[in-house]
Amino acid sequence: MPAMKELVKGTDRYRHYINGEWVDSTVKEWIDVENPATQAIIASVPRGGEDDADRALVAARAAQPAWEALPPATRGQLLKDLARLILENRERLARIVVAEQGKPIQEARGEIEGAALYLTYAAEEARRITGDIIPSDMPDEQIWIQRVAHGVVIALTAWNYPAALMCRKMGPALLAGNTIVIKSHEGTPISALEIAQLSSQLDFPPGVINVVSGTGEGIGAALVRHPIPRLITLTGSVRAGKEIFRAAADDLKLLRLELGGKAPFVVAEDADIGAAVRAAVLSRFENCGQICICNERMYVHRRVAEEFLDKFTRAVKALKVGDPTTMVDVGPKFSGMELDKVERMVDAARAAGAEVLTGGRRLTDGEFARGHWYEPTVMTVADNQMRIMQEEVFGPVVPVMTVGDFDEGLRLANESNYGLSAYVFTKDMRRVMRLVRELKFGEIYVNRPGGDAVHAYHAGIRDSGIGGEDGKYGLDAYFQKKTVYVNYA
């Protein structure tokens, strides 16, 4: 088979984007960015440190008052202009996402469109920033409750959607009048830096948007510990979220933490089996299973288990794995460490009694000789306490359990430390109504695959985090409330 195509030529070196300028890091070390499909080094970025964090935060703080003083419609128009530039550069940005992250090109194009949509949606809220005027108990007095900016926001994003997650946080933060310092995961920093380059072509004042690079333990920790920021928003692992929670405690910083997930997929005996199979495949194997809302474990009613497993396994076997620059279904895992983790989890499940119906191994021959590849995998298990049922896989592997009834499916679904997303297929509306109270997850998909709406609300409970993103509730988190007692006697 032909070798994987190189997606970004050369090994460009990027710099930090701080205060409207491209600046060198004070740390003279670099992080190589690897293409997960080929293991080629496609770029290098600075391994930023404390001085870089301080410089970015000081610039953001200096720019914030004037930025907040602009009319919201002016701030919104700049976001719309940036969304336009992103769409004009859709193909180039999509290929950068493929090169640094590994998702198939058609999914990367969708990510870039989603990034623009996050900015556009935030911008459209500019004329809907409202407060309250309420009567006072005192004569000749009113009470005004206003929404105002926090000040400086830190946005820390994960490697699975480097462009979309940046814009998901940046749009509402800037619309609310905050300035921002963004640090992407060190494995996928290019998308954010390229979007910063597009923003520099517009009239954003210097210091409003700052993008730095480096590790979580280095510049990431320095940003979190710094006294300037008031709000930290993270999309990342449970481990990272808990570390930030501890580090932010001394200054009582506000946190929005969107962490891991272990979404259950419950198939009742009255489900539309064809629709459930299609949704289960898409919701597990999109982006190589590397989505926090992915179908991570399945509970199928015994009456339909044989039919469902037969159709589901055949559909998974038919998925095409390969060069993500072409029209394939599944690309590589993001990194060697991630691939090792998936392999260990599958091997442990097999040793504990799981039966592998398809897949269950690395791909290493031919076009897969380089890169991080794993077969789409389906396995059956009998114990809900197995590691594969309790810990996030974040890869192209799904375990399936048979359950005796709908209630058992809900009970097993709730046996988790996570609480982000869940899926349920049933035609019984009484069961659907029960989900609101009985299924302990922040986001539930009924009779459909995953994929949240920009105007809804994306939030988890338990180890899946605190706070949330999107819609009017997500936007509200980027404001603080200020009460003014106005006596006009």
Side-chain angles (χ1 to χ4, degrees):
M1 291 186 177
M4 292 290 178
K5 300 174 184 176
E6 288 300 325
L7 305 179
V8 173
K9 299 295 184 182
T11 54
D12 293 334
R13 281 192 166 185
Y14 287 81
R15 295 187 287 173
H16 298 311
Y17 183 69
I18 297 174
N19 205 30
E21 297 179 333
W22 295 99
V23 299
D24 291 322
S25 173
T26 58
V27 179
K28 304 304 179 184
E29 297 180 20
W30 298 86
I31 297 173
D32 289 336
V33 181
E34 180 192 77
N35 182 325
T38 67
Q39 294 180 271
I41 302 303
I42 58 174
S44 298
V45 297
R47 186 184 294 272
E50 287 189 14
D51 289 343
D52 300 316
D54 181 71
R55 183 165 37 163
L57 289 166
V58 168
R61 180 175 61 182
Q64 193 275 324
W67 175 249
E68 186 179 9
L70 292 174
T74 301
R75 299 195 296 265
Q77 186 58 54
L78 284 167
L79 292 175
K80 289 180 182 179
D81 292 343
L82 181 54
R84 172 180 53 78
L85 287 182
I86 287 172
L87 291 177
E88 289 175 1
N89 289 269
R90 184 188 75 153
E91 191 64 20
R92 181 176 68 85
L93 292 173
R95 291 190 175 275
I96 288 171
V97 168
V98 174
E100 66 176 346
Q101 195 273 331
K103 61 170 55 74
I105 184 62
Q106 70 273 17
E107 294 181 19
R109 290 174 181 135
E111 177 176 347
I112 299 305
E113 291 169 359
L117 180 60
Y118 281 127
L119 297 180
T120 302
Y121 177 81
E124 290 169 347
E125 293 297 300
R127 292 183 175 89
R128 292 187 282 271
I129 299 172
T130 60
D132 296 292
I133 300 176
I134 59 177
S136 172
D137 292 341
M138 303 292 288
D140 300 319
E141 187 171 276
Q142 289 185 340
I143 303 171
W144 301 347
I145 302 174
Q146 301 272 15
R147 284 180 170 86
V148 298
H150 291 287
V152 177
V153 172
I154 296 172
L156 307 171
T157 63
W159 50 259
N160 57 336
Y161 282 90
L165 290 173
M166 173 193 186
C167 294
R168 187 182 214 172
K169 299 176 185 298
M170 181 171 66
L174 297 188
L175 192 277
N178 304 287
T179 52
I180 197 165
V181 178
I182 300 161
K183 191 201 85 68
S184 298
H185 188 278
E186 61 269 23
T188 54
I190 305 175
S191 297
L193 292 163
E194 289 288 343
I195 291 173
Q197 172 64 35
L198 294 179
S199 77
S200 72
Q201 301 173 27
L202 301 169
D203 292 329
F204 285 98
V208 170
I209 298 173
N210 306 274
V211 180
V212 296
S213 62
T215 65
E217 303 80 31
I219 194 170
L223 289 168
V224 170
R225 290 194 305 265
H226 202 287
I228 285 179
R230 291 305 310 143
L231 173 65
I232 301 168
T233 172
L234 163 78
T235 299
S237 68
V238 175
R239 175 197 55 78
K242 291 182 177 181
E243 289 179 0
I244 288 171
F245 202 107
R246 286 188 286 266
D250 285 345
D251 293 326
L252 296 177
K253 293 184 175 77
L254 298 170
L255 300 177
R256 295 292 179 269
L257 306 176
E258 198 266 287
L259 309 178
K262 188 68 179 175
F265 194 109
V266 180
V267 182
E269 77 280 9
D270 64 340
D272 180 328
I273 298 302
V277 166
R278 290 188 294 273
V281 172
L282 177 61
S283 301
R284 172 68 273 184
F285 297 100
E286 183 179 1
N287 196 17
C288 198
Q290 301 169 134
I291 312 176
C292 57
I293 65 170
C294 262
N295 161 25
E296 280 263 341
R297 54 197 170 108
M298 303 187 67
Y299 303 99
V300 183
H301 196 286
R302 62 187 177 191
R303 292 184 193 171
V304 295
E306 183 177 356
E307 178 188 2
F308 178 89
L309 276 172
D310 176 65
K311 292 180 177 179
F312 180 64
T313 303
R314 282 193 283 115
V316 172
K317 287 180 178 179
L319 292 173
K320 183 178 180 181
V321 182
D323 182 349
T325 66
T326 65
M327 296 301 289
V328 297
D329 300 305
V330 182
K333 276 291 294 172
F334 164 66
S335 70
M337 286 181 60
E338 279 288 310
L339 178 61
D340 290 343
K341 179 198 71 176
V342 171
E343 184 175 53
R344 287 194 302 270
M345 293 184 75
V346 171
D347 288 348
R350 186 186 281 116
E355 180 185 357
V356 175
L357 303 183
T358 186
R361 64 182 181 92
R362 291 181 187 234
L363 296 172
T364 57
D365 297 332
E367 66 173 317
F368 306 115
R370 295 186 63 81
H372 313 299
W373 306 92
Y374 202 86
E375 277 189 303
T377 298
V378 180
M379 60 176 60
T380 56
V381 302
D383 183 359
N384 200 45
Q385 297 307 309
M386 287 175 61
R387 182 185 174 201
I388 200 82
M389 297 297 285
Q390 293 297 318
E391 297 183 17
E392 188 174 30
V393 179
F394 222 61
V397 175
V398 61
V400 185
M401 281 187 70
T402 299
V403 296
D405 55 33
F406 186 75
D407 286 352
E408 184 184 9
L410 292 190
R411 178 177 61 79
L412 295 175
N414 283 329
E415 289 182 0
S416 175
N417 290 329
Y418 294 96
L420 185 56
S421 298
Y423 301 81
V424 176
F425 272 75
T426 179
K427 297 175 183 176
D428 188 336
M429 196 61 190
R430 291 169 297 183
R431 289 173 170 173
V432 174
M433 296 302 293
R434 289 174 54 193
L435 302 179
V436 176
R437 292 190 305 273
E438 296 182 32
L439 193 53
K440 306 301 183 182
F441 292 82
E443 188 172 85
I444 301 173
Y445 297 97
V446 180
N447 298 328
R448 57 157 287 187
D452 37 31
V454 69
H455 56 293
Y457 187 54
H458 177 68
I461 59 176
R462 300 192 294 272
D463 275 3
S464 290
I466 55 176
E469 306 271 12
D470 304 339
K472 65 179 182 179
Y473 301 111
L475 174 61
D476 193 53
Y478 290 94
F479 290 103
Q480 58 182 327
K481 312 298 189 302
K482 181 176 289 188
T483 303
V484 182
Y485 292 85
V486 180
N487 191 292
Y488 48 87

